[in-house]
Structures are given as C-alpha cells and as structure tokens.
Amino acid sequence: MRVVPAATLRLAAVVAVAVTLLSLAGMALQYRLVEARLMDEAGRLLAADLDGFATLYEQRRIIALRQAIEFRAASGASGEMLMLMNRDGTVLAGTHADWPVAVVPEGAGFGPDGAVRFAAGGQDWLGVGRVLPGGFPLLVARDLGPVLDTLSALRRGIVALGFAMLAAGALVGWVMAGRVMARIGRVNVLADRVAAGDLSARLPGLRSADEFGQLEAHVHEMLDKIEALNRETHRLSDTIAHELRTPLNRMLQKLGRIEGQDAVTDDLRAEMRQTVRVFDALLDISRAEADAVVAGGPGGGLRPVDLSALLVELWELYEPLAEDKGLVTQIAVPDGLRVLGDRTLISQMVANLLDNAVKYCRAGDSLTLTLAEVGDRQVMTLADTGPGLPADLRETVFDRFARGERDRALPGHGLGLALVRAIATRHGAKLTLPQREKGFAIEVGWPKVAATL
C-alpha cells in the first residue's frame, strides 16, 4: 500500500507559511518606514516652497508672490499646484483654474503646519492653504504622484517576493521535512518487520549523534530485551516439552506391562499420546521459528518447491475423509506454480489447515482449495462453509493454545494455527483471514520463485 506523505506535506506547509509570514511582516515594517520617509521628504519640499514664498512676500508682498506664481505657471511646472486669490475670490495667478474644495485656507503664516492630502485633477497632492494679510488666499501644494508610484512599485515587489518566499519556503520545508520523515520512516520499516514476527530485525548503518540516533538506540535496546525475553520463554517451553516427552514415552511403554486393567491403561495411553502430541507441536513451532532466525530471516535457506503438485497430493489424502463426513469438496490448482520453501514444513502447514476444516465442518458443508498467482505471490485459499471462527478468537487465533469456548468439547490443543503462522513466517508468507458471511477462510501468500531458479 502506498502511503501518502501527509505528515511531510503538513510540515513543509507549516515551514513555508511560517517563513513567508515572517518575511512579509519584515517587509511590511520596511514598507511603513519607506512610506513615512517619502512623505517626510514631500513635506520638506513643501516647507522649502513655503520658505521661498515667505522671502518673496517680505520683499514686495502680494506683487512678488503674483509674479513668482505667474512665472512658474508659464514654465509649465507639473509637480506643483500654486494659486493666489484676490479678496473677491478671483484668481490673481495660478497653475490651476480652480481652488480645490478639500483645502480650506486658514492661518496667516507660511509654515507647513496643517498640510493636508487631497485629490484634484486625477492626482494626489500635499498642500497648505493660507490667508495672507489683506485677505489674499494662497495655496501651495506638491504632487504626490512620484511618492505613490514608488510605494506602488514597492507593494508589487513585496507581493512578488512573498510568492517567491512561499515557493522557497515550501521547497526548503519539503527538503527538511523529507529528511526528518525519512529518519522516522527507518523506524517505521523496522516496526513493520518486527510486527511481521522478525524480532531479530535491526536498523542498518551507523546511528547519528542526535535525537533520532538516540531513538533508534532505545528501540534497539527495547528489541534486544524483548528478543531475550521471548528467547527465554521459548527455551523454557522447549525444555519442558523435551524433558517431559521422554518420561511420558517411558510411561507408555510401562503401561503395556500392566495386565487385567485394559480399559484403564487404554485411557491413560490415549491421554499420554495426546500430551506427547502437544509437546511435539510445541517443538515443531519452536523449530520453525528458530530456522527463520538461523537462516537469516524469513525465506532464507529454502529451495524451490512445486506447490501445485504438493497441494494436489495432500488434497488426495484428505478428500476421502471429507467425503466420508459428507462434505462437498472442490479443488482449483493450476499446474507448475512454485515457491521457495521446505516441502516438509509446507506439508505440515497445509495438513493442519485441512485437518481443522474437516474436523469443524458438518455434513453438507463445502470445502474448497484454490491456488492462484496474485501480483508477486502465489496465493493458496482454503475456504469452508462450516461454523466459522468464533468472535472471541478473531484477534488471537494464531496464538499458542488459542481455543474458543464454543470448541472446548472438541479434541485439540489450540496449537495448529500457531504452527501455521510459524511456518508462514519461516517462508516469508503472508497470512490473511478474509471476511465471509458464512464459514472460515484463510489465505497464504508465498513469494513467487524467480524465473531463473
């Protein structure tokens, strides 16, 4: 299953947005500083114009102002708005025909205090209106077009830079998030291998001297302890099974010497043989698990096996038993499908599954065995329409001694499917339990054999 790197995408997006927002905040502050600086400069130029007119006014009063404004109007100065009005409201001199409504003349001096920003003639201006002695209104204003053009260009640059920062932040975030998630992915791969039953799995290569290296070291230490505990547990069970198996066999031999109590000795002999079979099954499970470790992991040290032929042979052994019990049997196994395996172990696995199916099904139930190529695996499916798997066993069906309360009265020891899982792990096969409306089904998917083998 392909995993969507959602965490990587989220982390990359967070980094990109954070970098972009911080950059935009810095640029917004810079923009305000530039705006204030440009407006201050426009105010200084306005103040310089007012100082010049103040000097002319001191020399020849209204006449000097009128002549100066007429000269500037005749020279076609486009960046200024200058107007001198008569007491009756007529224009004595000016660069424009009408006094702007937004500017109210007030005060008698030539200072820049009270400068206002207004629009006139499709342009933005910064100006001052004054009433000179004798009731002569005077307007001095400067065009803010260059200032606004500069600020507009700066805003466009900020927007473009913001998108560039967003793209750069996304790229950097993706690269950094990818590196972080790759380190996490190493641990996830290890967890998947351990979940599949390979407790000896470890991360390859040297561990870095950082938090991820420390995490990997802790995971390895944890697995070492789990593996040691698991090994000790299995060793104990193997020892018990091995040590008790021998005296039980001796007791079986001695029971044959007892005379006159045939019924009692037969019952004892049957119970003891059942106990020996339990120990044999435990030893078989441990042997299969140990073989997987000794061979260097699941699938190691195996040889090509004609799975098709093997399944047909086992089916021919169990089909008469199934028919005697009244089961409807069907097999669909194409020729020539091979897997890497141990023929004896695979036979033991399939025999366990067929034996369980025949034991739990009732007359009239169907039993079907199929084998098919699915992707890169050879998938065997054994399905029946029997009583199915008890609900309380769904999660623990492959554990040792797992038996449902419903089946306690039936003979068995709950080790068959545990052995199936151990053999599947030995072969690198995948076990699945498909959901069925009625009955029980199990799928075993073996890796295909390479064509060159």
Side-chain angles (χ1 to χ4, degrees):
M1 182 180 69
R2 183 177 181 273
V3 178
V4 178
T8 304
L9 293 173
R10 286 196 298 269
L11 187 54
V14 168
V15 172
V17 171
V19 169
T20 303
L21 289 178
L22 288 174
S23 300
L24 288 177
M27 288 186 288
L29 178 60
Q30 186 67 27
Y31 175 84
R32 291 302 180 190
L33 293 175
V34 171
E35 181 183 31
R37 188 67 177 267
L38 291 176
M39 293 302 294
D40 287 344
E41 184 63 25
R44 283 194 292 270
L45 292 175
L46 179 63
D49 287 342
L50 290 169
D51 287 342
F53 285 122
T55 301
L56 291 175
Y57 185 78
E58 290 178 357
Q59 293 175 357
R60 298 174 58 198
R61 304 297 176 185
I62 296 300
I63 296 176
L65 292 179
R66 181 177 181 178
Q67 290 176 346
I69 292 173
E70 287 176 347
F71 176 78
R72 292 197 185 185
S75 64
S78 59
E80 296 177 314
M81 179 181 289
L82 304 173
M83 295 191 70
L84 179 63
M85 308 289 289
N86 201 353
R87 285 186 292 264
D88 59 3
T90 59
V91 178
L92 295 177
T95 57
H96 291 70
D98 298 315
W99 184 285
V101 177
V103 181
V104 177
E106 56 185 2
F110 287 88
D113 297 338
V116 295
R117 181 173 170 176
F118 62 95
Q123 293 176 274
D124 286 302
W125 303 86
L126 180 67
V128 173
R130 294 287 185 261
V131 179
L132 300 181
F136 295 92
L138 172 67
L139 171 66
V140 178
R142 294 197 65 88
D143 183 14
L144 292 178
V147 173
L148 299 180
D149 289 343
T150 301
L151 293 176
S152 178
L154 184 58
R155 286 194 299 272
R156 290 194 298 271
I158 289 175
V159 172
L161 187 57
F163 282 112
M165 290 297 297
L166 185 62
L171 178 61
V172 172
W174 178 263
V175 172
M176 296 304 296
R179 295 184 62 183
V180 171
M181 299 312 294
R183 301 291 297 277
I184 296 175
R186 278 169 50 89
V187 180
N188 281 334
V189 169
L190 175 62
D192 289 339
R193 292 178 60 189
V194 172
D198 185 8
L199 289 178
S200 63
R202 297 294 184 272
L203 292 172
L206 297 176
R207 290 189 290 275
S208 56
D210 56 13
E211 292 83 354
F212 286 106
Q214 188 177 24
L215 173 63
E216 292 175 6
H218 288 164
V219 171
H220 281 190
E221 291 175 5
M222 177 185 66
L223 289 176
D224 289 341
K225 292 179 180 178
I226 292 174
E227 189 177 20
L229 290 171
N230 191 62
R231 187 165 52 248
E232 286 300 314
T233 301
H234 286 180
R235 187 182 65 82
L236 178 61
S237 64
D238 294 346
T239 301
I240 293 173
H242 186 272
E243 293 299 325
L244 291 182
R245 185 172 177 270
T246 301
L248 283 171
N249 283 325
R250 290 174 183 166
M251 292 178 193
L252 282 172
Q253 293 174 1
K254 292 178 180 180
L255 282 174
R257 303 171 191 170
I258 300 176
E259 297 179 358
Q261 301 183 50
D262 293 343
V264 175
T265 56
D266 287 344
D267 288 343
L268 289 173
R269 193 176 287 112
E271 291 290 339
M272 295 174 74
R273 286 197 181 107
Q274 177 68 13
T275 305
V276 171
R277 281 195 291 272
V278 171
F279 291 148
D280 286 340
L282 286 171
L283 291 171
D284 287 340
I285 293 171
S286 296
R287 197 174 300 117
E289 292 173 343
D291 285 345
V293 176
V294 173
L302 303 177
R303 297 179 180 178
V305 174
D306 189 334
L307 184 59
S308 298
L310 180 57
L311 292 182
V312 171
E313 290 176 15
L314 291 169
W315 183 260
E316 289 174 351
L317 289 175
Y318 278 88
E319 188 176 27
L321 298 176
E323 290 177 347
D324 288 345
K325 196 173 181 180
L327 305 185
V328 180
T329 61
Q330 183 179 2
I331 183 173
V333 175
D335 295 333
L337 301 187
R338 301 190 304 162
V339 297
L340 282 178
D342 181 312
R343 183 181 177 85
T344 302
L345 288 178
I346 294 177
S347 299
Q348 201 170 1
M349 169 196 279
V350 179
N352 264 299
L353 293 174
L354 288 171
D355 187 69
N356 276 347
V358 173
K359 179 170 64 175
Y360 289 106
C361 286
R362 297 178 292 268
D365 290 335
S366 64
L367 178 61
T368 305
L369 176 66
T370 61
L371 180 65
E373 295 186 69
V374 179
D376 61 347
R377 292 184 178 267
Q378 312 285 16
V379 179
M380 182 200 81
T381 304
L382 183 64
D384 62 59
T385 58
L389 191 66
D392 59 326
L393 265 186
R394 192 80 192 175
E395 300 299 325
T396 60
V397 66
F398 293 109
D399 292 347
R400 300 184 188 193
F401 302 107
R403 301 198 71 194
E405 291 298 328
R406 183 193 67 190
D407 304 321
R408 292 292 179 186
L410 294 174
H413 41 67
L415 290 173
L417 290 180
L419 179 59
V420 167
R421 181 176 65 176
I423 296 174
T425 301
R426 170 74 178 95
H427 290 78
K430 295 172 67 174
L431 291 177
T432 55
L433 300 176
Q435 292 282 357
R436 292 173 60 86
E437 291 184 6
K438 182 182 180 183
F440 174 76
I442 185 169
E443 290 182 354
V444 185
W446 283 276
K448 286 183 179 179
V449 178
T452 55
L453 295 177

